[in-house]
Amino acid sequence: MDRRPERRSWIVGNWKMHGLRASLAAVVEIDRAAQACGEVDVALALPFTLIHAAAQAVSHIAIGGQNCHTQPQGAYTGDISAAMLHDSGADCVILGHSERRLDCGETDEIVRDKLHTALSSGLTVILCLGEHLAEREAGLAEDKVRQQLTHALTGLTPSPDLARHLAIAYEPIWAIGTGLVPEAPAIAAMHGAIRQSLAQALGPSARTIRLLYGGSVDEGNAPAILRLADVDGALVGNASLDSARFAAIIQAAQDIRDA
Ligand code: 13P
């Protein structure tokens, strides 16, 4: 099988609104697990309050945020800029997560503006895309995801540097936190469609952009999901909060590389 050597595996944990300072012990355990899996890149997207301390505590994983503002700075009470994330030690940021699109009214245009600002601030962006269950049942899942992607990429100049700083996470909304996961062929088909759209929008450099699957990934289903064509990694919510479970997912990615 083609192991796509130009794209290393990437396992990213999204802690969402979980974690107090006591949870830094779990961050350090995850850092240790990552050290033992040298073929896999690992990141943890943490609440703002943990980013600086976590970045100082780890050596083998990247630390990320889960959102940033569209503007580089300004009178936006309670918001966080991409530059602030970077300054706190974050290397990456999740943008366009469905929880923010749905709970905070983030439109495709807002997500695009955030993407541009984050990239300009030196962050790597994990751009989340995904359809509602009704859209999948109506056969509209690919259209929805392609539309989200096209909007987000508008105005970006293709380059190898952009490709290095962009990853896409396909997260079907109905699979997040539900224990439901699409059938393997559906994941592979969507990742193939995203890869094709990326190539159309960004040309040959799109080949190196990593595509992650997210939505009820756990230590049991990770090996099968991570083996699928065009799945370069996973974006993990619930199972990333437990260092042993998350370590097992990292190990699954390493085992596939070793096979
Ligand atoms: P779960 O892994 O808890 O389904 O969450 C997925 C997710 O939203 C990651 O961003």
Side-chain angles (χ1 to χ4, degrees):
M1 188 197 284
D2 169 19
R3 289 317 319 158
R4 306 174 297 265
E6 77 275 26
R7 298 198 298 271
R8 285 170 56 85
S9 294
W10 201 15
I11 305 296
V12 182
N14 175 9
W15 275 19
K16 308 190 179 184
M17 199 173 71
H18 296 283
L20 302 175
R21 280 185 298 158
S23 315
L24 287 169
V27 172
V28 170
E29 283 164 15
I30 289 167
D31 189 51
R32 267 195 226 114
Q35 182 179 16
C37 295
E39 297 295 311
V40 182
D41 293 336
V42 177
L44 277 181
L46 296 174
F48 297 131
T49 47
L50 291 181
I51 287 174
H52 187 245
Q56 293 198 315
V58 302
S59 312
H60 307 285
I61 67 174
I63 298 298
Q66 304 167 12
N67 175 43
C68 67
H69 201 273
T70 56
Q71 299 303 311
Q73 60 190 29
Y76 303 104
T77 302
D79 267 308
I80 301 283
S81 73
M84 289 168 180
L85 285 178
H86 197 243
D87 186 53
S88 299
D91 308 285
C92 54
V93 63
I94 294 173
L95 293 178
H97 194 283
S98 60
E99 285 153 12
R100 293 207 58 88
R101 291 180 189 259
L102 295 172
D103 299 346
C104 308
E106 289 193 8
T107 61
D108 285 336
E109 286 67 31
I110 291 173
V111 173
R112 180 200 59 211
D113 290 349
K114 291 184 176 197
L115 173 66
H116 286 224
T117 304
L119 290 170
S120 313
S121 303
L123 294 171
T124 293
V125 173
I126 301 162
L127 170 68
C128 297
L129 313 170
E131 81 284 358
H132 290 278
L133 184 57
E135 291 164 330
R136 173 151 293 275
E137 287 173 347
L140 297 172
E142 274 192 29
D143 288 351
K144 167 74 177 285
V145 166
R146 282 182 195 267
Q147 183 192 326
Q148 288 178 323
L149 181 61
T150 307
H151 267 105
L153 298 181
T154 306
L156 290 176
T157 307
S159 73
D161 193 52
L162 170 63
R164 258 196 307 280
H165 288 94
L166 180 63
I168 308 295
Y170 168 53
E171 297 206 306
I173 295 165
W174 51 275
I176 294 175
T178 58
L180 301 172
V181 176
E183 298 290 325
I187 297 177
M190 184 63 86
H191 280 234
I194 293 170
R195 175 77 54 210
Q196 191 189 46
S197 294
L198 283 171
Q200 278 163 4
L202 301 177
S205 64
R207 203 184 67 248
T208 59
I209 295 175
R210 292 187 279 196
L211 308 188
L212 317 182
Y213 168 78
S216 295
V217 174
D218 62 25
E219 62 281 27
N221 60 27
I225 292 171
L226 293 171
R227 268 194 199 90
L228 294 171
D230 262 315
V231 175
D232 304 309
L235 181 54
V236 184
N238 211 26
S240 71
L241 293 169
D242 178 321
S243 57
R245 295 182 69 197
F246 194 53
I249 296 170
I250 298 167
Q251 185 65 52
Q254 174 73 30
D255 290 346
I256 290 168
R257 289 285 157 154
D258 288 342

